[in-house]
């Protein structure tokens, strides 16, 4: 078992009222090594809160998150950055590349923070770049790239640390259909090579590339679908069906 | 009415951007206003008029400076708000109406500046006046607030704001709503860091420095010219240094993989490259303003403190009576016969000596001096040998407390501040041996004459012989010989003397035929004179220094403000990627400190290099005490550094607030 999420709860209290919002209630699931999970829900469903807790950017009110036997909700503030650096990879919807660095250096960033040598960084990049199709972009700067290219660079940056889990927050939200499809296919390929991926999304199409889909509403996980042997299109139909019937969604 | 409400609302909403603009205008308004009030206040004495002379200059510089600074900050204001204006435009307000809103805003700011400024001006001008009166040792401590001063100050600022209005409307006219919404961050290219410009910058800085450092032995009037050239080179060099050299240097650092790929350098170097691009001009401006503050404050304080020292050295005894056209008079009895007897004062304890001044004799840095009529001295090397020479006998020179070796008939001794290595003289065939070269110690004449020397001769015969041989240097009826007398007089005696004499302006003495026969001066009056004059200088330097620092502070504030917004995102990303908060903070700190203290360090280096020249130019005003100049400079540097640090503390708070929000 790679990751165990046990009875997670998160309450928010607004500053001026005593009303408590339950962002997460009794969220409980497990993730195996090599899984590709999509967490689906509408905005306000609590999916981003869940991701933030898994990313150690936020702490739960109750419950534990065990990664490889370690409760990551108990890690001290001072060691959190290092923990993230060594164990987690992030892909954001708006790419979050630094404008002041070129593409190569953007990808190197986490390794530089981890004090790896240039030779080591370079050899990891040589391995990664052709897979992601970014070999000829390395000397460019972020503003010269299209959205799809930027997102592939962001993936390279998250994979170069060889993370235990790749966390993706609406990675296709800022991309058009074709680029989204390319990106999701890329995720499938990376996953096939053994990378565990946990993706938060509101799009059924994006979720249909995952192996398992968790549905979240009002802070609770109340349904899940396994792909089994279905292809993307069939799985997409199942997901859409589940959404309309269960979430009462669009 | 709607537009007025909108304008008021805008100012309230974006007070953070309006505040420094308003504050800068207020401070400059108060500074010019107070100066105008002091200028227009009725003066107690003639002496005070002397001190006020430089205030006119202060007003001119302040107004020019106010135009530049308010234009700068208004431009910044408009830039910050271009998105807002674009939104109005898209929502259906045409450019004329956007212009109207901007005009109302500007007018409101003007009203506040004029109203609050005038009230504060009435308060602060008294404070400034007290400083001014103290500096010029005036006993008139009450300032009259004349309405004219306030009216003209408001008038000046009305013009400045009119200027801003025109500049603003032009800018709004050029705006395109689409451009307003374009992402301002997108596509910023890397700065060039051109090696040629980088080297050019270093070279022109180096040349400017060289001009200063090499001028320790150059004529002060020439130094004035060199100073001007050096200033131009240093200004150009400073801009190029920030624009090209630093980018070039940082890029070189980035190429060094071992250095660059370390967490301590990685973010700092890559961000600094861009930060320098956006800030190069601002940093150069801050540097130059700081240098200006250094130079004005240090030189005027040196002048002020040096001047009273100078006067003390000028008066071995408290009263000086110099008699002109004294070739045929006897040194010992001349004063008694022409002046003292008539005034009924006893001839007690008078130090009298005879001198003859000859301008531009080639005595410096030569071993053999040949002086003859129609001598052609044109090359720079020849011109360097020229000094203004006082001829004096050994007996007289000793009276002033100097050690002179016993001189035989045809022997001389040369005293000057540097480069004396004279062995022999030939003055139109009169051959003399110079047996001693030394520095000038006690010789009041030398303090009053720039680039001067004392040629000490054996006796009156040789003294008169030289004068005859050099007669070709002046017109027929001119007598180059003066008898200088120093005498210690009580206030009563001095009054008595004053009464008996026919004294005209400039303290010249006239005989019964109205011919000028000499000049009377005393230590107390002279001191007052220089103190009022240099007190005015110092006050002006103080006013200008403050406003230059204010300008620097304003640029710094804007820099921090705009950078804060730009850096915010970068630091969020860094935290998400895996940099911890303390590391992020350290990175921010190191950059802020570097960007902040680079200009002041650079300014100090500029200033230190300029000191050599400043010292030479201060010589023109008789300030010769180097240790005084150094200590005054050191104090100015420390005080300005402290003010600068204060500015840093206040403005970086704004920066961190934005970053951490």
């Amino acid at each position: 078992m790679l990751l165990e999420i046990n009875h997670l709860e998160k309450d928010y209290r607004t500053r001026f009222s005593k009303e408590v919002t339950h962002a997460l209630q009794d969220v409980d699931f497990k993730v195996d090594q090599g899984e590709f999970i999509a967490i689906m829900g509408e905005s306000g469903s609590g999916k981003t809160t869940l991701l933030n807790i898994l990313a150690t950017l936020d702490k739960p009110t109750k419950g534990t998150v065990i990664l490889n036997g370690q409760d990551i909700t108990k890690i001290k503030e001072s060691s959190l950055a290092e923990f993230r650096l060594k164990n987690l990879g992030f892909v954001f919807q708006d790419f979050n590349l630094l404008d002041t660095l070129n593409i190569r250096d953007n990808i190197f960033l986490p390794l530089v923070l981890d004090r790896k040598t240039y030779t080591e960084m370079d050899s990891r990049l040589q391995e990664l770049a052709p897979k992601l199709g970014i070999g000829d972009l390395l000397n460019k700067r972020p503003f010269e790239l299209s959205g799809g290219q930027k997102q592939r660079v962001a993936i390279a940056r998250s994979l170069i640390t060889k993370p235990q889990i790749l966390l993706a927050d609406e990675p296709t939200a800022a991309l058009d259909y074709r680029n989204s499809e390319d990106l999701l296919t890329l995720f499938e390929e990376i996953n096939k090579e053994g990378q565990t991926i946990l993706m938060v999304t509101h799009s059924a199409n994006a979720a249909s590339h995952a192996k398992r889909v968790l549905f979240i509403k009002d802070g609770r996980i109340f349904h899940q679908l396994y792909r089994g042997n279905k292809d993307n299109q069939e799985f997409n139909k199942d997901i859409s069906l589940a959404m309309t019937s269960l979430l009462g969604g669009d | 009415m709607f537009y007025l409400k909108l304008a008021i609302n805008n100012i309230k909403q974006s007070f953070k951007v309006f505040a420094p603009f308003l504050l800068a205008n207020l401070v400059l308004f108060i500074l010019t206003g107070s100066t105008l009030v002091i200028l227009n206040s009725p003066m107690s004495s003639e002496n005070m008029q002397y001190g006020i002379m430089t205030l006119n200059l202060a007003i001119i510089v302040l107004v020019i400076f106010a135009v530049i600074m308010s234009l700068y900050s208004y431009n910044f204001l408009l830039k910050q708000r271009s998105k807002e204006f674009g939104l109005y435009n898209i929502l259906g307000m045409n450019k004329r109406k956007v212009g109207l809103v901007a005009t109302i805003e500007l007018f409101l700011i003007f009203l506040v500046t004029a109203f609050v400024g005038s009230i504060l001006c009435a308060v602060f001008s008294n404070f400034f006046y007290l400083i001014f009166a103290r500096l010029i040792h005036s006993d008139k401590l009450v300032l009259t607030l004349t309405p004219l001063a306030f009216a003209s100050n408001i008038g000046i600022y009305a013009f400045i704001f009119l200027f801003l209005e025109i500049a603003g409307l032009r800018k709004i006219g050029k705006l395109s709503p689409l451009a307003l919404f374009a992402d301002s961050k997108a596509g910023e290219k890397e700065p060039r860091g051109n090696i040629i410009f980088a080297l050019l910058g270093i070279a022109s800085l180096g040349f400017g420095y060289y001009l200063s450092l090499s001028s320790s032995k150059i004529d002060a009037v020439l130094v004035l010219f060199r100073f001007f050239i050096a200033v131009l080179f240093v200004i150009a060099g400073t801009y190029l240094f920030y624009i090209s050299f630093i980018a070039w240097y940082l890029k070189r650092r980035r190429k060094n993989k071992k250095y660059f790929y370390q967490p301590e350098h990685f973010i700092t170097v890559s961000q600094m490259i861009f930060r320098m691009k956006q800030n190069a001009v601002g940093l150069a401006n801050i540097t130059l303003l700081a240098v200006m503050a250094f130079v004005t404050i240090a030189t005027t304080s040196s002048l002020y403190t040096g001047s009273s020292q100078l006067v003390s050295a000028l008066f071995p005894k408290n009263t000086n009576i110099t008699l002109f056209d004294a070739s045929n008079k006897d040194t010992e009895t001349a004063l008694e016969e022409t002046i003292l007897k008539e005034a009924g004062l006893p001839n007690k304890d008078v130090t009298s000596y005879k001198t003859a001044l000859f301008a531009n004799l080639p005595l410096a840095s030569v071993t053999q001096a040949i002086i003859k009529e129609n001598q052609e001295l044109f090359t720079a090397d020849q011109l360097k040998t020229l000094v203004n020479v006082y001829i004096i006998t050994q007996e007289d020179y000793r009276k002033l407390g100097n050690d002179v070796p016993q001189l035989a008939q045809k022997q001389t001794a040369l005293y000057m501040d540097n480069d004396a290595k004279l062995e022999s003289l030939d003055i139109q065939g009169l051959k003399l041996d110079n047996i001693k070269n030394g520095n000038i110690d006690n010789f009041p004449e030398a303090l009053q004459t720039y680039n001067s020397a004392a040629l000490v001769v054996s006796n009156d015969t040789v003294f008169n012989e030289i004068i005859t041989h050099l007669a070709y240097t002046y017109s027929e009826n001119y007598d180059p010989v003066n008898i200088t007398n120093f005498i210690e007089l009580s206030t009563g005696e001095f009054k008595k003397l004053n009464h008996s004499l026919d004294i005209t302006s400039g303290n010249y003495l006239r005989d019964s035929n109205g011919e000028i026969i000499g000049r009377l001066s005393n230590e107390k009056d002279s001191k007052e004179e220089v103190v009022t004059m240099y007190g005015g200088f110092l006050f002006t330097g103080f006013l200008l220094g403050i406003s230059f620092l204010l300008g620097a502070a304003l640029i710094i504030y804007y820099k921090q403000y705009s950078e804060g917004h730009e850096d915010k995102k970068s630091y969020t990303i860094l935290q998400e990627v895996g940099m911890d908060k303390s590391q992020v903070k350290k990175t921010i700190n190191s950059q802020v400190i570097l960007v902040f203290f680079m200009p002041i360090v650079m300014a100090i280096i500029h200033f230190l290099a300029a000191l050599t020249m400043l010292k030479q130019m201060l010589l023109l005003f008789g300030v010769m005490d180097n240790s005084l100049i150094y200590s005054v400079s050191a104090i100015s540097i420390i005080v300005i550094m402290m003010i600068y640090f204060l500015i840093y503390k206040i403005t970086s708070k704004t920066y961190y607030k934005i970053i951490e929000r």
Side-chain angles (χ1 to χ4, degrees), chain A residues 81 84-85 90 92 96 98 100-101 105 108-109 112 115 118 121 141 143 157, chain B residues 187-188 190 257 260-264 266-267 270 274 570 573 575-578 580:
Chain A
R84 281 199 285 272
L85 194 63
F90 293 95
F92 304 94
N96 279 355
L98 286 175
T100 52
L101 295 173
D105 291 342
F108 283 168
L109 176 61
V112 172
R115 295 186 185 277
Y118 183 78
M121 295 192 285
R141 299 247 324 276
F143 73 87
R157 184 180 63 188
Chain B
E188 192 171 354
E190 214 169 81
K257 294 200 168 82
F260 180 57
Y261 290 106
Q262 282 182 19
E264 292 80 24
F266 190 65
I267 300 299
S270 59
F274 287 87
S570 306
I573 295 174
Q575 284 189 45
E576 283 168 348
V577 171
D580 67 53

Short mmCIF file of all heavy atoms in Angstrom, two decimals, chain A residues 81 84-85 90 92 96 98 100-101 105 108-109 112 115 118 121 141 143 157, chain B residues 187-188 190 257 260-264 266-267 270 274 570 573 575-578 580:
data_model
loop_
_atom_site.label_atom_id
_atom_site.label_comp_id
_atom_site.label_asym_id
_atom_site.label_seq_id
_atom_site.Cartn_x
_atom_site.Cartn_y
_atom_site.Cartn_z
N ALA A 81 9.00 21.26 3.29
CA ALA A 81 9.48 21.59 1.96
C ALA A 81 10.35 20.46 1.42
O ALA A 81 10.24 20.06 0.27
CB ALA A 81 10.26 22.90 1.98
N ARG A 84 8.22 17.44 0.44
CA ARG A 84 7.57 17.64 -0.87
C ARG A 84 8.57 17.42 -2.00
O ARG A 84 8.29 16.75 -2.97
CB ARG A 84 7.03 19.07 -0.96
CG ARG A 84 5.72 19.28 -0.25
CD ARG A 84 5.03 20.53 -0.77
NE ARG A 84 5.63 21.76 -0.30
CZ ARG A 84 5.29 22.35 0.84
NH1 ARG A 84 4.37 21.82 1.62
NH2 ARG A 84 5.86 23.46 1.21
N LEU A 85 9.75 17.99 -1.80
CA LEU A 85 10.79 17.92 -2.80
C LEU A 85 11.14 16.47 -3.13
O LEU A 85 11.33 16.11 -4.28
CB LEU A 85 12.02 18.66 -2.25
CG LEU A 85 13.13 19.02 -3.19
CD1 LEU A 85 12.62 19.97 -4.24
CD2 LEU A 85 14.26 19.68 -2.42
N PHE A 90 4.32 17.91 -8.62
CA PHE A 90 3.10 18.71 -8.80
C PHE A 90 2.92 19.16 -10.24
O PHE A 90 3.87 19.57 -10.89
CB PHE A 90 3.17 19.99 -7.95
CG PHE A 90 3.13 19.73 -6.48
CD1 PHE A 90 4.31 19.64 -5.75
CD2 PHE A 90 1.92 19.58 -5.84
CE1 PHE A 90 4.27 19.42 -4.40
CE2 PHE A 90 1.88 19.35 -4.48
CZ PHE A 90 3.06 19.27 -3.75
N PHE A 92 0.21 21.87 -12.10
CA PHE A 92 -0.89 22.80 -11.79
C PHE A 92 -1.63 23.18 -13.06
O PHE A 92 -1.11 23.04 -14.15
CB PHE A 92 -0.33 24.07 -11.17
CG PHE A 92 0.51 23.83 -9.96
CD1 PHE A 92 1.88 23.71 -10.05
CD2 PHE A 92 -0.09 23.70 -8.71
CE1 PHE A 92 2.66 23.48 -8.94
CE2 PHE A 92 0.69 23.47 -7.59
CZ PHE A 92 2.07 23.36 -7.69
N ASN A 96 2.54 27.23 -13.66
CA ASN A 96 3.46 27.74 -12.65
C ASN A 96 4.93 27.58 -12.99
O ASN A 96 5.72 27.09 -12.19
CB ASN A 96 3.19 27.07 -11.30
CG ASN A 96 2.03 27.71 -10.59
OD1 ASN A 96 1.50 28.72 -11.08
ND2 ASN A 96 1.63 27.18 -9.47
N LEU A 98 8.53 29.52 -13.85
CA LEU A 98 9.13 30.82 -13.54
C LEU A 98 9.59 31.50 -14.82
O LEU A 98 10.33 30.93 -15.61
CB LEU A 98 10.34 30.64 -12.61
CG LEU A 98 10.01 30.30 -11.15
CD1 LEU A 98 11.29 30.04 -10.39
CD2 LEU A 98 9.23 31.42 -10.50
N THR A 100 11.56 33.86 -15.23
CA THR A 100 12.95 34.31 -15.28
C THR A 100 13.92 33.20 -15.62
O THR A 100 15.11 33.45 -15.82
CB THR A 100 13.36 34.90 -13.92
OG1 THR A 100 13.04 33.96 -12.91
CG2 THR A 100 12.63 36.19 -13.65
N LEU A 101 13.44 31.97 -15.67
CA LEU A 101 14.32 30.85 -15.98
C LEU A 101 13.98 30.30 -17.37
O LEU A 101 12.83 30.35 -17.77
CB LEU A 101 14.14 29.73 -14.96
CG LEU A 101 14.54 30.03 -13.52
CD1 LEU A 101 14.12 28.88 -12.62
CD2 LEU A 101 16.03 30.25 -13.41
N ASP A 105 16.23 25.19 -17.04
CA ASP A 105 16.42 25.55 -15.63
C ASP A 105 15.13 25.42 -14.83
O ASP A 105 15.16 25.10 -13.65
CB ASP A 105 16.99 26.97 -15.52
CG ASP A 105 18.42 27.04 -16.04
OD1 ASP A 105 19.04 25.96 -16.14
OD2 ASP A 105 18.90 28.15 -16.33
N PHE A 108 15.07 21.91 -13.96
CA PHE A 108 16.11 21.61 -12.95
C PHE A 108 15.75 22.11 -11.56
O PHE A 108 16.30 21.62 -10.57
CB PHE A 108 17.45 22.24 -13.36
CG PHE A 108 18.17 21.50 -14.45
CD1 PHE A 108 19.26 22.07 -15.08
CD2 PHE A 108 17.79 20.22 -14.81
CE1 PHE A 108 19.94 21.39 -16.08
CE2 PHE A 108 18.46 19.54 -15.80
CZ PHE A 108 19.54 20.12 -16.44
N LEU A 109 14.88 23.10 -11.49
CA LEU A 109 14.63 23.80 -10.23
C LEU A 109 14.56 22.90 -8.99
O LEU A 109 15.31 23.10 -8.03
CB LEU A 109 13.39 24.69 -10.37
CG LEU A 109 12.92 25.43 -9.13
CD1 LEU A 109 13.98 26.39 -8.62
CD2 LEU A 109 11.64 26.22 -9.42
N VAL A 112 17.94 21.39 -8.22
CA VAL A 112 18.90 22.37 -7.70
C VAL A 112 18.65 22.56 -6.21
O VAL A 112 19.58 22.58 -5.40
CB VAL A 112 18.78 23.72 -8.44
CG1 VAL A 112 19.64 24.77 -7.75
CG2 VAL A 112 19.23 23.57 -9.88
N ARG A 115 20.17 20.04 -4.25
CA ARG A 115 21.63 20.03 -4.35
C ARG A 115 22.19 18.86 -5.16
O ARG A 115 23.17 18.24 -4.78
CB ARG A 115 22.27 20.04 -2.97
CG ARG A 115 21.99 21.31 -2.21
CD ARG A 115 22.76 21.35 -0.92
NE ARG A 115 22.38 22.54 -0.17
CZ ARG A 115 22.89 23.75 -0.38
NH1 ARG A 115 23.84 23.91 -1.26
NH2 ARG A 115 22.48 24.78 0.32
N TYR A 118 25.24 18.98 -11.56
CA TYR A 118 24.75 19.30 -12.89
C TYR A 118 24.71 18.04 -13.77
O TYR A 118 23.75 17.83 -14.51
CB TYR A 118 25.64 20.37 -13.53
CG TYR A 118 25.13 20.78 -14.89
CD1 TYR A 118 24.05 21.66 -14.99
CD2 TYR A 118 25.69 20.28 -16.06
CE1 TYR A 118 23.55 22.02 -16.22
CE2 TYR A 118 25.19 20.64 -17.29
CZ TYR A 118 24.13 21.51 -17.37
OH TYR A 118 23.63 21.87 -18.59
N MET A 121 21.66 16.03 -12.96
CA MET A 121 20.46 16.69 -13.45
C MET A 121 20.34 16.49 -14.95
O MET A 121 19.28 16.18 -15.49
CB MET A 121 20.51 18.19 -13.14
CG MET A 121 20.50 18.50 -11.66
SD MET A 121 20.20 20.25 -11.32
CE MET A 121 21.72 20.99 -11.73
N ARG A 141 12.30 30.27 -23.39
CA ARG A 141 11.75 30.77 -22.13
C ARG A 141 10.24 30.54 -22.11
O ARG A 141 9.63 30.44 -23.17
CB ARG A 141 12.06 32.26 -22.00
CG ARG A 141 13.56 32.59 -21.98
CD ARG A 141 14.01 33.13 -20.63
NE ARG A 141 12.99 33.94 -20.01
CZ ARG A 141 12.80 35.22 -20.28
NH1 ARG A 141 13.59 35.85 -21.13
NH2 ARG A 141 11.84 35.88 -19.69
N PHE A 143 7.55 32.15 -21.89
CA PHE A 143 6.58 32.93 -22.68
C PHE A 143 6.61 32.59 -24.17
O PHE A 143 5.72 32.97 -24.91
CB PHE A 143 6.78 34.44 -22.45
CG PHE A 143 8.01 35.00 -23.10
CD1 PHE A 143 7.98 35.46 -24.41
CD2 PHE A 143 9.20 35.09 -22.38
CE1 PHE A 143 9.11 35.99 -25.01
CE2 PHE A 143 10.33 35.62 -22.98
CZ PHE A 143 10.29 36.07 -24.29
N ARG A 157 9.18 18.82 -14.95
CA ARG A 157 9.69 19.33 -13.69
C ARG A 157 9.24 18.45 -12.52
O ARG A 157 9.98 18.24 -11.57
CB ARG A 157 9.22 20.77 -13.47
CG ARG A 157 9.80 21.39 -12.23
CD ARG A 157 9.33 22.80 -12.01
NE ARG A 157 7.88 22.86 -11.80
CZ ARG A 157 7.19 23.98 -11.73
NH1 ARG A 157 7.79 25.14 -11.89
NH2 ARG A 157 5.88 23.95 -11.53
N GLY B 187 6.03 37.87 -22.22
CA GLY B 187 7.04 38.11 -23.23
C GLY B 187 8.09 39.11 -22.88
O GLY B 187 8.50 39.89 -23.74
N GLU B 188 8.52 39.13 -21.65
CA GLU B 188 9.60 40.04 -21.38
C GLU B 188 10.92 39.41 -21.76
O GLU B 188 11.27 38.34 -21.28
CB GLU B 188 9.62 40.43 -19.91
CG GLU B 188 10.55 41.59 -19.73
CD GLU B 188 10.46 42.15 -18.34
OE1 GLU B 188 9.60 41.71 -17.57
OE2 GLU B 188 11.26 43.01 -18.05
N GLU B 190 14.94 38.82 -22.26
CA GLU B 190 16.10 38.92 -21.39
C GLU B 190 16.91 40.16 -21.77
O GLU B 190 16.98 40.51 -22.93
CB GLU B 190 16.96 37.68 -21.62
CG GLU B 190 17.66 37.23 -20.39
CD GLU B 190 18.26 35.86 -20.61
OE1 GLU B 190 19.33 35.82 -21.21
OE2 GLU B 190 17.66 34.87 -20.19
N LYS B 257 28.37 26.71 -14.52
CA LYS B 257 27.37 25.74 -14.03
C LYS B 257 27.54 25.42 -12.56
O LYS B 257 26.58 25.27 -11.81
CB LYS B 257 27.47 24.45 -14.86
CG LYS B 257 27.07 24.68 -16.29
CD LYS B 257 26.69 23.38 -16.95
CE LYS B 257 26.02 23.62 -18.28
NZ LYS B 257 26.97 23.84 -19.37
N PHE B 260 26.20 28.43 -10.64
CA PHE B 260 24.80 28.77 -10.85
C PHE B 260 23.84 27.72 -10.27
O PHE B 260 22.85 28.07 -9.63
CB PHE B 260 24.56 28.94 -12.35
CG PHE B 260 23.15 29.30 -12.71
CD1 PHE B 260 22.56 30.44 -12.16
CD2 PHE B 260 22.41 28.52 -13.59
CE1 PHE B 260 21.25 30.78 -12.50
CE2 PHE B 260 21.12 28.87 -13.92
CZ PHE B 260 20.54 29.99 -13.38
N TYR B 261 24.17 26.42 -10.45
CA TYR B 261 23.21 25.40 -10.02
C TYR B 261 23.34 25.06 -8.55
O TYR B 261 23.56 23.91 -8.18
CB TYR B 261 23.33 24.15 -10.91
CG TYR B 261 22.81 24.41 -12.30
CD1 TYR B 261 23.66 24.56 -13.38
CD2 TYR B 261 21.44 24.56 -12.52
CE1 TYR B 261 23.18 24.84 -14.65
CE2 TYR B 261 20.94 24.83 -13.78
CZ TYR B 261 21.82 24.97 -14.84
OH TYR B 261 21.32 25.25 -16.09
N GLN B 262 23.27 26.08 -7.75
CA GLN B 262 23.23 25.89 -6.30
C GLN B 262 22.06 26.68 -5.77
O GLN B 262 21.80 27.78 -6.24
CB GLN B 262 24.52 26.42 -5.68
CG GLN B 262 25.66 25.47 -5.87
CD GLN B 262 26.92 25.96 -5.21
OE1 GLN B 262 26.86 26.82 -4.33
NE2 GLN B 262 28.02 25.41 -5.63
N PRO B 263 21.35 26.10 -4.81
CA PRO B 263 20.12 26.78 -4.37
C PRO B 263 20.37 28.23 -3.95
O PRO B 263 19.50 29.08 -4.13
CB PRO B 263 19.64 25.94 -3.19
CG PRO B 263 20.58 24.82 -3.03
CD PRO B 263 21.57 24.84 -4.14
N GLU B 264 21.56 28.53 -3.42
CA GLU B 264 21.82 29.91 -2.95
C GLU B 264 21.90 30.89 -4.12
O GLU B 264 21.62 32.07 -3.96
CB GLU B 264 23.14 29.98 -2.16
CG GLU B 264 23.11 29.26 -0.83
CD GLU B 264 23.31 27.77 -0.98
OE1 GLU B 264 23.89 27.35 -2.01
OE2 GLU B 264 22.86 27.01 -0.10
N PHE B 266 20.96 30.04 -7.63
CA PHE B 266 20.09 29.73 -8.76
C PHE B 266 19.00 30.77 -8.95
O PHE B 266 18.89 31.42 -9.99
CB PHE B 266 19.49 28.35 -8.52
CG PHE B 266 18.76 27.78 -9.68
CD1 PHE B 266 19.43 27.46 -10.84
CD2 PHE B 266 17.39 27.53 -9.60
CE1 PHE B 266 18.76 26.90 -11.91
CE2 PHE B 266 16.73 26.98 -10.67
CZ PHE B 266 17.40 26.66 -11.82
N ILE B 267 18.19 30.95 -7.91
CA ILE B 267 17.06 31.88 -8.01
C ILE B 267 17.56 33.32 -8.04
O ILE B 267 17.12 34.13 -8.85
CB ILE B 267 16.10 31.68 -6.81
CG1 ILE B 267 15.58 30.26 -6.79
CG2 ILE B 267 14.96 32.68 -6.88
CD1 ILE B 267 14.80 29.88 -8.01
N SER B 270 19.17 34.31 -11.47
CA SER B 270 18.25 34.38 -12.59
C SER B 270 17.25 35.51 -12.42
O SER B 270 16.86 36.16 -13.38
CB SER B 270 17.53 33.05 -12.78
OG SER B 270 16.82 32.71 -11.62
N PHE B 274 16.65 39.84 -14.48
CA PHE B 274 15.46 40.56 -14.92
C PHE B 274 15.19 41.79 -14.06
O PHE B 274 14.75 42.82 -14.54
CB PHE B 274 14.25 39.63 -14.90
CG PHE B 274 14.33 38.66 -16.02
CD1 PHE B 274 15.02 37.47 -15.88
CD2 PHE B 274 13.77 38.96 -17.25
CE1 PHE B 274 15.13 36.59 -16.93
CE2 PHE B 274 13.88 38.08 -18.30
CZ PHE B 274 14.56 36.89 -18.15
N SER B 570 6.28 34.48 -8.20
CA SER B 570 7.48 33.64 -8.22
C SER B 570 7.66 32.92 -6.89
O SER B 570 8.00 31.74 -6.85
CB SER B 570 8.71 34.49 -8.48
OG SER B 570 8.54 35.22 -9.64
N ILE B 573 5.28 30.04 -6.37
CA ILE B 573 5.70 28.87 -7.14
C ILE B 573 6.85 28.15 -6.43
O ILE B 573 6.83 26.94 -6.28
CB ILE B 573 6.14 29.28 -8.56
CG1 ILE B 573 4.95 29.85 -9.33
CG2 ILE B 573 6.75 28.10 -9.30
CD1 ILE B 573 5.31 30.42 -10.68
N GLN B 575 7.58 28.02 -3.38
CA GLN B 575 7.14 27.27 -2.20
C GLN B 575 6.46 25.98 -2.59
O GLN B 575 6.61 24.95 -1.94
CB GLN B 575 6.21 28.12 -1.34
CG GLN B 575 6.97 29.17 -0.56
CD GLN B 575 6.09 29.87 0.44
OE1 GLN B 575 5.32 29.24 1.14
NE2 GLN B 575 6.20 31.17 0.50
N GLU B 576 5.70 26.03 -3.69
CA GLU B 576 5.00 24.82 -4.12
C GLU B 576 5.97 23.78 -4.64
O GLU B 576 5.77 22.59 -4.46
CB GLU B 576 3.98 25.18 -5.20
CG GLU B 576 2.74 25.82 -4.61
CD GLU B 576 1.85 26.44 -5.67
OE1 GLU B 576 2.29 26.56 -6.83
OE2 GLU B 576 0.73 26.79 -5.32
N VAL B 577 7.03 24.23 -5.28
CA VAL B 577 7.98 23.28 -5.86
C VAL B 577 8.83 22.64 -4.77
O VAL B 577 9.36 21.55 -4.95
CB VAL B 577 8.86 23.99 -6.90
CG1 VAL B 577 9.99 23.10 -7.35
CG2 VAL B 577 8.01 24.38 -8.08
N GLY B 578 8.97 23.30 -3.64
CA GLY B 578 9.69 22.64 -2.58
C GLY B 578 10.77 23.47 -1.93
O GLY B 578 11.76 22.95 -1.43
N ASP B 580 11.48 25.90 1.20
CA ASP B 580 10.70 26.21 2.40
C ASP B 580 10.67 27.71 2.65
O ASP B 580 11.41 28.49 2.04
CB ASP B 580 11.18 25.42 3.61
CG ASP B 580 12.55 25.81 4.05
OD1 ASP B 580 12.77 27.00 4.26
OD2 ASP B 580 13.41 24.90 4.19
#
